[in-house]
Amino acid sequence: MAPAGNFESLQAAIDNGADSVYFGVEQLNMRARATVNFTMDDLQEIARRCEVKKIRTYLTLNTIIYDHDLSVVKTLLAKAKEANITAVIASDQAVIAMARSIGMEVHISTQLNVTNIETIKFYSLFADTMVLSRELSLRQVKKITEQIEKEQIKGPNGKLVEIEIFGHGALCMAVSGKCYLSLHSNNSSANRGACKQNCRKKYTVIDQETGYELELDNEYIMSPKDLCTIDFLDQVIDSGIQVLKIEGRGRAPEYVATVIKTYREAIDSYVEGTYSKEKIAVWMETLNTVYNRGFWAGYYLGQELGEWSDVPGSLATQKKVYVGKGMHYFPKANIGEFKIEAYDIKVGDKILITGHNTGAQEMVIDEMYVNDIVSEKASKGDSCTFKLPFRIRLSDKLYKIVEA
């Protein structure tokens, strides 16, 4: 299950093997500030692109809801139903009730902190899928999935309730993301999708009574490392879950492309019986190339304490630098034309092209023309063309990938 914060990320998810995507619309989702977000008018296009590839679509509507939000919620759900969006991920009882009243499939958000089988039974009256609390161990997850099977707990669709857990991406120090730091310090509520990420900053802690300064060993003690499960994915799948959720609606399209492609390969490898330590090493190296704060296993393997990041930002081994924008595509020759606006590019460079319909495409330039002449290098102001295995559009962005 892939995150989509915009059309570039949506297309990247579709192109790289996602079975489902989740996304927010405007302000009533937990990433309202962290990403561009879609509008109600985008729902038809989201559904259209995904239906072509038989990919399920999930509208995330899981913030705290106030009375003045209810009319917007009602309109949004009606638009989602009309667009044939598969389901809504919800945490507020009003949203759940409204969705059920129009016959829309409901998934229970991790914001409701589902941690036991009795809670599953209760919400099975309204929902077909439950996103479990992030603080559970795989042993606890497996017990829940076994009880669902044993007791034949079914949702409104008549099928056994499906269990979803987070498999990769950012973690919050607060239980299932219920944090109030941003609200207290900036009057900007994380529970309304407006987190200021206070926890990612560096702090000095001083005992006011003694003046003693706590030595933090250069750790950002409220900023957990990112979750990564690819090195014990066999145990994750064996726990009986049906949905592996990748976090990252605020991340760039190349992040979505890389992470989804990597986990797709790992899951398929497990099914084929070829999942191995050697492959895990390659996958870990790939995941390290895109945004991350370092990796740990979360609480799945039984750790009682978190592992904290020692840097304020990303530990990615690669980064992108802006080069220029797309100008034209020649379909008969499969050639793209770009205007170079910033850094130079040359033959042999690894490049990234992103766009509304293009998604996130990476490749290596093996030959190019600069101002209609074969050349090894293009600089600011030049027009360059090279062969592409995909179509580009006007204003697609061209980057080169460099070592961080």
Side-chain angles (χ1 to χ4, degrees), residues 313-375:
S314 177
L315 286 171
T317 58
Q318 295 181 353
K319 66 179 181 179
K320 64 182 181 184
V321 293
Y322 179 71
V323 173
K325 64 182 179 182
M327 299 299 293
H328 191 70
Y329 182 73
F330 302 91
K332 290 184 179 179
N334 296 323
I335 287 175
E337 178 187 357
F338 294 87
K339 180 75 171 178
I340 307 302
E341 297 182 322
Y343 287 93
D344 298 343
I345 58 168
K346 60 183 184 298
V347 172
D349 278 347
K350 183 178 181 181
I351 61 168
L352 166 71
I353 301 170
T354 67
H356 186 280
N357 291 289
T358 306
Q361 304 283 351
E362 292 185 8
M363 59 172 282
V364 175
I365 299 176
D366 55 16
E367 181 185 35
M368 70 177 172
Y369 283 74
V370 178
N371 303 323
D372 297 326
I373 299 172
V374 176
S375 179

Side-chain angles (χ1 to χ4, degrees), residues 236-278:
V236 171
I237 297 173
D238 289 343
S239 72
I241 64 153
Q242 286 80 32
V243 186
L244 188 71
K245 186 172 193 172
I246 306 300
E247 188 277 337
R249 280 182 289 145
R251 300 277 170 91
E254 66 270 18
Y255 172 90
V256 175
T258 299
V259 176
I260 294 303
K261 183 178 181 181
T262 305
Y263 273 87
R264 175 81 277 156
E265 288 178 4
I267 292 168
D268 292 347
S269 178
Y270 171 86
V271 173
E272 294 161 2
T274 59
Y275 181 81
S276 66
K277 289 182 179 179
E278 292 74 22

Side-chain angles (χ1 to χ4, degrees), residues 160-324:
L160 290 179
V161 167
E162 291 194 339
I163 293 299
E164 174 182 322
I165 65 172
F166 281 83
H168 190 92
L171 286 173
C172 177
M173 66 167 185
V175 174
S176 288
K178 296 189 187 73
C179 181
Y180 294 90
L181 276 178
S182 183
L183 179 63
H184 289 316
S185 63
N186 299 91
N187 196 32
S188 185
S189 176
N191 299 290
R192 291 280 286 179
C195 180
K196 291 285 191 178
Q197 295 206 324
N198 306 52
C199 59
R200 308 300 183 187
K201 298 177 182 178
K202 190 173 185 178
Y203 292 93
T204 300
V205 182
I206 300 175
D207 187 323
Q208 290 294 320
E209 292 184 5
T210 65
Y212 176 76
E213 183 174 321
L214 183 63
E215 294 183 19
L216 305 181
D217 194 25
N218 296 317
E219 288 188 334
Y220 289 69
I221 60 166
M222 294 184 289
S223 180
K225 291 180 179 179
D226 284 0
L227 173 66
C228 179
T229 62
I230 207 157
D231 56 337
F232 57 98
L233 193 61
D234 50 346
Q235 296 179 60
V236 171
I237 297 173
D238 289 343
S239 72
I241 64 153
Q242 286 80 32
V243 186
L244 188 71
K245 186 172 193 172
I246 306 300
E247 188 277 337
R249 280 182 289 145
R251 300 277 170 91
E254 66 270 18
Y255 172 90
V256 175
T258 299
V259 176
I260 294 303
K261 183 178 181 181
T262 305
Y263 273 87
R264 175 81 277 156
E265 288 178 4
I267 292 168
D268 292 347
S269 178
Y270 171 86
V271 173
E272 294 161 2
T274 59
Y275 181 81
S276 66
K277 289 182 179 179
E278 292 74 22
K279 285 190 173 183
I280 290 170
V282 174
W283 294 325
M284 288 298 296
E285 187 175 338
T286 301
L287 293 172
N288 268 303
T289 65
V290 292
Y291 191 103
N292 70 86
R293 297 183 181 93
F295 294 128
W296 73 301
Y299 297 97
Y300 290 138
L301 300 180
Q303 289 95 330
E304 293 182 1
L305 297 175
E307 290 188 20
W308 310 108
S309 175
D310 57 5
V311 294
S314 177
L315 286 171
T317 58
Q318 295 181 353
K319 66 179 181 179
K320 64 182 181 184
V321 293
Y322 179 71
V323 173

Side-chain angles (χ1 to χ4, degrees), residues 115-128:
T115 57
N116 61 73
I117 194 65
E118 293 302 324
T119 303
I120 299 267
K121 288 179 183 177
F122 175 76
Y123 283 113
S124 69
L125 299 172
F126 322 104
D128 300 296

